[in-house]
Amino acid sequence: MKPDRLTTLLGGLAALGLVVGLAAAFGYAPREAVQGNVQRIMYVHVPAVLTAYLAILMVLVGSVGYLVTRRAGWDHVAGAAGELGVLFTAITIASGSIWGRPTWGTWWTWDARLTSTAVLLLVYAGYVLLRGVLADEPDRRARFSAVVGILGAVNVPIVHFSVKWWRALHQPSTILGPEPSPIAPPIAMALLVNWIAFTLLFAYLLTRRVEIARLEDAV
Amino acid sequence: MPDNWAYVMAAYAVAALAVGAYWRHLAARARALRERPAQTRRRRTA
């Protein structure tokens, strides 16, 4: 399949997934008994953080791939995924902050999960800035950013396990935890649909950004 | 607990705006890159 066709297909699937995801979040999923309708923010917040994890995993894979093979394609994937890691981590923090105000009574607190997620955002914002600064030196940009991308990925397990390692206001993991998920089936289904939609959106934006990186190298 | 619909709408709006802004940025960058060789060609032939 040609890259243009693949991008168009992924774009269509992502748009469809997001529409179905909205219908699941607002039409199918029930009103949560304790928090009320404000819990519906979860259908953005959780898929956003899972997509951010996926993006950073792609940075790690692309960076290792580049250092082993020295092929520009791996660097393009890592660079594109780094930008998307920033985007989805920022959405995670913003939606979490908005959710925190009515449920915790504050927009922000220096809780372990929130602080480690903010550090993750800063690390990958720095990664994107570094790539921008070295834009005219593709080899140095690829080498330096690969090292930063690999070291930065260490933050992901810190973010994920922060609620276990330290006393935190944020609730423990309910879907990537060791125990079976306690989430009610309709809520879990709506979450799954939105997770798939966000993953499709990520795949679409990644392929689009990689195409642009190829064009940038060709000019 | 009250429903706090304004917070729900704000969270979805922020997410949509962030993705929309990035998507527009990519579209503008792709357009600029596709137009650049054409402009160079026009300058060469002028």
Side-chain angles (χ1 to χ4, degrees):
Chain A
M1 191 181 284
K2 284 184 176 178
D4 279 357
R5 281 191 188 168
L6 175 66
T7 308
T8 307
L9 176 67
L10 285 171
L13 288 174
L16 180 67
L18 290 170
V19 170
V20 175
L22 277 175
F26 289 95
Y28 175 70
R31 182 182 185 278
E32 207 264 343
V34 178
Q35 292 191 22
N37 282 315
V38 77
Q39 173 273 337
R40 293 182 200 275
I41 293 175
M42 184 182 79
Y43 305 117
V44 172
H45 182 69
V46 174
V49 74
L50 294 175
T51 311
Y53 286 173
L54 175 64
I56 290 158
L57 176 68
M58 293 297 286
V59 175
L60 180 65
V61 170
S63 300
V64 172
Y66 176 77
L67 291 179
V68 171
T69 66
R70 302 285 165 163
R71 286 190 180 167
W74 288 110
D75 177 58
H76 294 160
V77 169
E83 287 184 11
L84 292 169
V86 171
L87 175 71
F88 285 102
T89 307
I91 292 172
T92 302
I93 291 176
S95 59
S97 177
I98 293 167
W99 194 3
R101 182 71 185 92
T103 51
W104 295 344
T106 181
W107 296 102
W108 183 263
T109 178
W110 295 104
D111 161 275
R113 171 62 70 82
L114 275 67
T115 307
S116 56
T117 310
V119 170
L120 185 71
L121 177 66
L122 288 175
V123 167
Y124 281 93
Y127 172 86
V128 171
L129 282 174
L130 175 71
R131 292 184 65 87
V133 168
L134 296 175
D136 294 335
E137 300 168 84
D139 290 340
R140 278 184 77 203
R141 179 189 66 188
R143 257 184 300 125
F144 286 11
S145 62
V147 173
V148 174
I150 291 166
L151 293 176
V154 173
N155 271 303
V156 169
I158 295 174
V159 170
H160 188 70
F161 292 109
S162 59
V163 286
K164 283 191 123 186
W165 293 341
W166 296 288
R167 190 182 302 206
L169 179 62
H170 196 284
Q171 69 171 66
S173 297
T174 43
I175 52 167
L176 292 182
E179 295 88 22
S181 173
I183 302 175
I187 293 178
M189 179 57 75
L191 192 57
L192 177 68
V193 168
N194 278 285
W195 185 0
I196 292 168
F198 270 61
T199 305
L200 287 168
L201 177 65
F202 168 78
Y204 164 66
L205 292 172
L206 185 80
T207 52
R208 203 127 194 235
R209 184 65 187 88
V210 168
E211 277 174 40
I212 290 171
R214 283 201 197 111
L215 281 172
E216 283 170 340
D217 273 8
V219 170
Chain B
M1 182 178 272
D3 280 328
N4 293 300
W5 276 111
Y7 289 98
V8 179
M9 294 304 138
Y12 279 79
V14 165
L17 281 173
V19 171
Y22 185 69
W23 181 74
R24 282 189 59 152
H25 161 72
L26 290 186
R29 184 78 186 125
R31 204 166 39 244
L33 285 165
R34 282 196 202 100
E35 283 169 5
R36 199 179 286 182
Q39 282 169 354
T40 310
R41 277 198 301 274
R42 273 200 295 275
R43 271 202 301 275
R44 278 180 193 153
T45 52

